[in-house]
Amino acid sequence: MSGEAKNKPNLFKTLLNGIIFENPVMVLLLGMCPTLATSTSAINGVGMGIATTAVLIGSNLVISLLRKLIPSKIRIASYIVVIATFVTIVQLLLQAYIPSLYNSLGLFIPLIVVNCIVLGRAEAFASKNGPIVSLVDGLGMGLGFTLTLAIMGTIREFLGAGTLFGMQVYPNEFGAMLMTMPCGGFLTLGCVIAAVQFIRSRGKKGAK
Amino acid sequence: MSETKAKVQFDGKYIAKLAITLLAITAVAALLLSVVYAQTKPVIDELAEQTKRESMAMVMAGATEFTPVEYTETEGVTDVNAAYNGTELLGYCVQTAPSGFGGTISMMVGVDTNGAVTGVSILSHSETAGLGTKAMTSEFLAQYTGRTGTITVKTGADTDINHISGATVSSRAITDGVNIALAFIAEGGVN
């Protein structure tokens, strides 16, 4: 209980934590599979990020509210049920109201269920913290994920197809097709993580 | 470890508590999902119907009315609609499902009463963006218009479809889809 009270004034810090200091992809290295698969274009990346954020906020909130009711032996099963429920809701809503995004993300929407960011935050954060701070954690982590996907999607789309958010910047023929393929995803991810680690280590040195 | 094991084996109350908790959670989840499902289903069905209608209008120019028809179950054919302009039968819109590179491609093929292709349109697919999707441009699909019989998959020759390099599997799948529709109509699949 005292831990919760201590966490309360740190909502902003929790939010920033998810976006920057503990960015799920670039620092915690969670959720690699959807990151590589859906960052082929900026629009896809942002769409996937927002869908995951919605699931994260919902599941973190509910799991945090239920954390004292769920016996530890069945917690993983319970978390999966909660997460799967939110994913299915998001999937149905996308299919009904944003069909173009639903079509381009396809199989990766149901796969949010097994995205280790969602289960990871449920287990590591929501099951130990109050509902409000868990909700903020979900929002922060989700935004962090969205930001990473947007950066990667923009880089891959620009280098691979010569477009930015679907607008042609230079002719498609000059694009490096490699970048929109899976290997381009690995290359981009490696470079982005390296850049973030470089910035983080410089920041630490500065603080000393 | 053995202590935990004993507890699970003999404590009926504890087991019941686990079961009831899970039951409660899943029951609430099911209730919630059924509400959302009921809310979104009409919208989703409406959208699917609309997409289908648009693609049928695209592959069968001039048709004003489409009516579902009885047909012989054929592998690869998922739906058949007759296209009419007023009362005149123009042909059939055959929905086929060939296997592409990333899974099944759902496509609409218009075949006129003479057994020639009037148009091809892709409903849904999971081909690689930038590669497989090159075989879905209107220029590529226009190559099928007017074709009859069986289209072969050789490259280069005049009578064949020009396949896209880098999208061999996708181009071939689309040719398969057209062939399925042509064979289906030629064999009198429509009852």
Side-chain angles (χ1 to χ4, degrees):
Chain A
M1 279 310 219
S2 59
E4 271 170 49
K6 213 168 68 187
N7 271 329
K8 263 180 188 161
N10 293 336
L11 287 182
F12 187 66
K13 209 179 152 192
T14 308
L15 186 68
L16 275 187
N17 204 29
I19 301 175
I20 301 164
F21 306 111
E22 274 184 36
N23 184 295
V25 180
M26 295 187 280
V27 181
L28 301 180
L29 298 186
L30 290 173
M32 291 291 109
C33 173
T35 304
L36 293 168
T38 61
S39 62
T40 48
S41 74
I43 298 276
N44 275 1
V46 172
M48 181 66 181
I50 292 171
T52 309
T53 306
V55 172
L56 258 170
I57 293 173
S59 66
N60 260 13
L61 177 67
V62 171
I63 286 165
S64 170
L65 287 171
L66 295 174
R67 71 190 187 282
K68 296 203 178 81
L69 298 174
I70 299 174
S72 71
K73 277 204 171 58
I74 54 161
R75 68 182 192 284
I76 300 292
S78 311
Y79 296 167
I80 291 290
V81 171
V82 172
I83 295 165
T85 307
F86 278 106
V87 172
T88 314
I89 291 174
V90 166
Q91 183 184 2
L92 287 171
L93 291 177
L94 276 182
Q95 199 176 355
Y97 301 108
I98 321 176
S100 58
L101 187 63
Y102 175 80
N103 286 334
S104 64
L105 293 178
L107 181 67
F108 291 99
I109 299 174
L111 282 181
I112 298 175
V113 176
V114 287
N115 186 325
C116 40
I117 298 172
V118 184
L119 190 59
R121 291 327 284 176
E123 173 75 10
F125 198 93
S127 64
K128 300 184 183 92
N129 291 285
I132 295 168
V133 74
S134 296
L135 191 146
V136 174
D137 178 73
L139 180 66
M141 283 289 159
L143 289 178
F145 185 58
T146 311
L147 181 73
T148 316
L149 285 180
I151 293 173
M152 285 191 53
T154 309
I155 295 173
R156 290 179 68 183
E157 190 186 340
F158 183 72
L159 295 180
T163 56
L164 277 180
F165 285 91
M167 282 186 300
Q168 204 75 39
V169 178
Y170 62 88
N172 191 6
E173 284 72 25
F174 298 113
M177 186 49 71
L178 178 84
M179 293 307 285
T180 56
M181 304 223 296
C183 48
F186 281 104
L187 290 173
T188 314
L189 184 63
C191 294
V192 169
I193 291 175
V196 168
Q197 293 302 332
F198 178 69
I199 295 166
R200 283 179 82 224
S201 64
R202 267 175 51 135
K204 270 180 200 156
K205 267 182 209 158
K208 272 174 196 168
Chain B
M1 278 311 260
S2 59
E3 210 176 297
T4 332
K5 210 173 176 185
K7 204 174 174 186
V8 173
Q9 272 172 353
F10 299 117
D11 193 345
K13 261 189 188 167
Y14 185 67
I15 294 173
K17 189 190 165 200
L18 294 186
I20 290 167
T21 314
L22 261 184
L23 177 72
I25 294 173
T26 43
V28 173
L31 186 74
L32 206 64
L33 280 180
S34 57
V35 171
V36 177
Y37 180 76
Q39 287 294 316
T40 51
K41 189 158 194 324
V43 187
I44 293 169
D45 287 349
E46 171 84 9
L47 270 173
E49 190 59 32
Q50 197 188 325
T51 321
K52 207 170 115 184
R53 230 150 231 296
E54 278 167 11
S55 70
M56 284 197 293
M58 202 152 64
V59 298
M60 192 65 77
T64 51
E65 230 161 288
F66 299 97
T67 45
V69 290
E70 295 275 313
Y71 64 97
T72 322
E73 291 281 330
T74 311
E75 207 189 328
V77 177
T78 50
D79 193 34
V80 184
N81 280 269
Y84 292 95
N85 180 12
T87 51
E88 185 200 353
L89 178 69
L90 292 177
Y92 295 95
C93 295
V94 185
Q95 198 177 324
T96 59
S99 298
F101 188 76
T104 305
I105 300 174
S106 177
M107 53 191 275
M108 187 70 77
V109 185
V111 183
D112 67 15
T113 44
N114 300 322
V117 177
T118 55
V120 177
S121 145
I122 307 294
L123 293 171
S124 69
H125 70 91
S126 16
E127 306 298 283
T128 319
L131 285 177
T133 49
K134 278 188 183 168
M136 292 169 192
T137 56
S138 46
E139 291 89 12
F140 179 80
L141 295 177
Q143 293 187 81
Y144 293 100
T145 308
R147 300 281 172 156
T148 52
T150 306
I151 301 164
T152 51
V153 290
K154 271 181 274 168
T155 47
D158 260 3
T159 51
D160 292 321
I161 297 298
N162 256 330
H163 283 193
I164 308 277
S165 58
T168 315
V169 179
S170 307
S171 335
R172 220 169 257 182
I174 292 169
T175 304
D176 281 348
V178 176
N179 278 335
I180 291 170
L182 284 173
F184 169 80
I185 295 295
E187 283 159 21
V190 178
N191 293 344

